[in-house]
Amino acid sequence: MTTLSETLRTPSAKPAKTATGRATSRLHAQADGMAVASFILGLLGTLVLNVLLGPCALVLGTLALTHGTTRRARALLGLTLGATDLLLLALLITTDGTVSWSLTG
């Protein structure tokens, strides 16, 4: 009969498995986080601070793809939104001469 302290000392936790059966490494988990962060920053960048959040979304999306994220579509969407942020910034600069939104016209 095993005691509680013996049960706690024996490592029985196995690493998480992906759909292909491979163990999820720490690098893939970080890459997944970068893909999600890229998407969120790109989305927020379309509304506020596109001069700062757009390039961050581009960098994080690229890093997530190079590190082999399992959330590839989210990283690609983050890249697209980051590029859109920079295009919006260029459009705002050429039309209004400003780097921010103006809802009042």
Side-chain angles (χ1 to χ4, degrees), residues 22-95:
R22 293 180 292 152
T24 305
S25 69
R26 186 175 190 178
L27 185 63
H28 288 290
Q30 289 176 351
D32 289 345
M34 284 188 279
V36 172
S38 171
F39 170 70
I40 291 172
L41 290 177
L43 193 61
L44 286 175
T46 58
L47 302 173
V48 293
L49 292 174
N50 51 358
V51 69
L52 178 68
L53 298 179
C56 289
L58 288 172
V59 168
L60 285 173
T62 304
L63 284 173
L65 288 174
T66 57
H67 289 185
T69 182
T70 56
R71 297 179 177 188
R72 184 173 168 81
R74 195 157 294 161
L76 289 172
L77 191 57
L79 282 172
T80 305
L81 287 170
T84 304
D85 294 345
L86 294 179
L87 289 173
L88 242 130
L89 176 66
L91 181 71
L92 285 171
I93 289 173
T94 56
T95 40

